[in-house]
Amino acid sequence: MTSITSLGGGHGLFATLRADRQVADHVTAVVTVADDGGSSGRLRRELGQIPPGDLRMALAALSADTEKGDLWEKTLQHRFGGTGALAGHAIGNLIIAGLTSVMGNEVDALDEIGRLLQIQGRVVPMSPIPLEIEAEVVGLEQDARVVRQVRGQVAVATTPGQVRRIRLIPEAPPASEEAIEAILNADLVTLGPGSWFTSVLPHLQVPGLRDALQETNATTVVVLNLVAEPGETAGFSSERHIHMLTQHAPNLKLNYVLVDDNTPLADTEREYLQRAADSLDAQVVFADVQEVDDYGALTGRHSPEKLATALRQFL
């Protein structure tokens, strides 16, 4: 049985999981738990639970490719409209929150929903407690050298300044035992793509996950973003994305860095990219992983089918 464990959050993790399930018999999503906006933020503040939004998206990504699975995926992702108390809430968020309250444990609740969706795998939080992200940001003052602290996932993701570094609150939080086990027992572990500072790097700030990445016998792959994101990584090159990994986890060692072959890079830029990857003891691999529209134009999104093809070579 082939097993893949993917670390991330949000839309980036969604695309990876769609690819994973085409390749592996068992897929585990290890999901960030620092969201503080929208429906997730409201439930987090009102119930004190870990935010369910990214967990919901991972469940939806892994739902069975059947008529029933499609129905449950649409149901989980559906948001209430109107202006009342339920406005903006995703049904899946409420199901996760309600089942957690009944069962007393988020992982048990997620496993139960996974059985309902007939997923071949699991969705687990990276930590059993809700976390906050705090970032060092420059460019918010007249003097561009002044560093300000910006706290909260939404605030970090939307800051008009440039993020230099992040940390989690509380620092060195516990890792979910299920997440550690999934990393250690996988054949392949992926990190990224996704919002670099709010979905990818937070995993490296959890000591248990970082240690598991070093101890696992699995092949480890970083999937780089296709484009820099406004706010978080505006102006970042592929090389700088890798430097951020080594800055946040200096002793991190991985096997491969997967880069979209459609990314326009000169030969010298490819050399710099491999040099950055050398700090991870990793090899850069180029592959066509970008989705195209009906007219053949690149969309700036990962294609699950192409990404699945690329991941097969690492197994």
Side-chain angles (χ1 to χ4, degrees):
M1 184 177 75
T2 305
S3 175
I4 298 180
T5 296
S6 290
L7 285 63
H11 295 285
L13 181 60
F14 187 95
T16 305
L17 296 175
R18 286 291 198 192
D20 290 346
R21 72 180 196 173
Q22 299 178 47
V23 178
D25 303 301
H26 188 279
V27 179
T28 301
V30 178
V31 185
T32 52
V33 289
D35 192 2
D36 61 355
S39 171
S40 288
R42 289 160 63 187
L43 291 170
R44 171 179 178 159
R45 289 188 292 274
E46 292 174 18
L47 301 177
Q49 297 179 4
I50 59 177
D54 286 350
L55 298 164
R56 178 200 81 243
M57 289 188 65
L59 287 167
L62 292 174
S63 61
D65 190 15
T66 62
E67 185 176 346
K68 183 178 180 181
D70 291 343
L71 173 62
W72 273 110
E73 179 188 345
K74 292 176 183 177
T75 301
L76 287 178
Q77 300 285 54
H78 179 75
R79 290 185 184 273
F80 289 105
T83 57
L86 288 176
H89 274 303
I91 292 179
N93 290 356
L94 298 176
I95 293 175
I96 293 171
L99 199 54
T100 297
S101 296
V102 170
M103 302 185 74
N105 181 281
E106 281 93 351
V107 173
D108 290 343
L110 292 166
D111 284 343
E112 185 63 31
I113 298 170
R115 285 188 283 272
L116 183 67
L117 271 60
Q118 299 177 324
I119 69 174
Q120 300 299 309
R122 300 182 80 184
V123 173
V124 298
M126 71 177 189
S127 175
I129 62 174
L131 305 174
E132 277 193 281
I133 297 174
E134 184 175 80
E136 297 177 2
V137 182
V138 296
L140 297 178
E141 304 288 348
Q142 190 170 3
D143 185 344
R145 297 168 298 179
V146 174
V147 178
R148 280 185 53 186
Q149 307 298 320
V150 174
R151 180 179 291 193
Q153 185 267 335
V154 172
V156 173
T158 58
T159 179
Q162 187 173 84
V163 180
R164 300 279 294 273
R165 191 179 184 91
I166 61 127
R167 70 184 186 97
L168 294 178
I169 300 173
E171 287 194 70
S176 294
E177 290 300 322
E178 297 81 5
I180 294 174
E181 181 182 349
I183 294 171
L184 294 177
N185 294 332
D187 297 301
L188 176 68
V189 176
T190 69
L191 178 64
S195 300
W196 217 241
F197 287 104
T198 53
S199 293
V200 177
L201 292 176
H203 290 278
L204 301 181
Q205 302 300 287
V206 180
L209 299 186
R210 192 170 61 237
D211 292 345
L213 283 171
Q214 299 308 105
E215 295 169 13
T216 184
N217 291 321
T219 300
T220 50
V221 182
V222 174
V223 183
L224 282 192
N225 289 349
L226 299 174
V227 294
E229 293 185 294
E232 278 200 34
T233 56
F236 274 34
S237 63
S238 298
E239 177 188 356
R240 189 163 184 187
H241 280 78
I242 296 175
H243 283 315
M244 286 295 107
L245 295 176
T246 56
Q247 179 179 325
H248 286 78
N251 298 318
L252 183 68
K253 303 300 177 188
L254 302 170
N255 297 125
Y256 297 99
V257 176
L258 180 61
V259 183
D260 179 43
D261 205 21
N262 297 290
T263 304
L265 293 174
D267 289 343
T268 52
E269 291 177 300
R270 293 194 176 212
E271 290 176 11
Y272 293 148
L273 182 56
Q274 181 57 62
R275 193 177 303 169
D278 287 343
S279 63
L280 298 170
D281 284 352
Q283 177 185 343
V284 176
V285 174
F286 290 91
D288 177 13
V289 294
Q290 192 166 172
E291 186 180 68
V292 296
D293 62 20
D294 294 337
Y295 301 97
L298 297 171
T299 63
R301 297 188 298 269
H302 281 87
S303 161
E305 291 74 23
K306 290 182 178 180
L307 184 55
T309 300
L311 293 178
R312 283 190 184 95
Q313 68 183 304
F314 301 120
L315 286 169

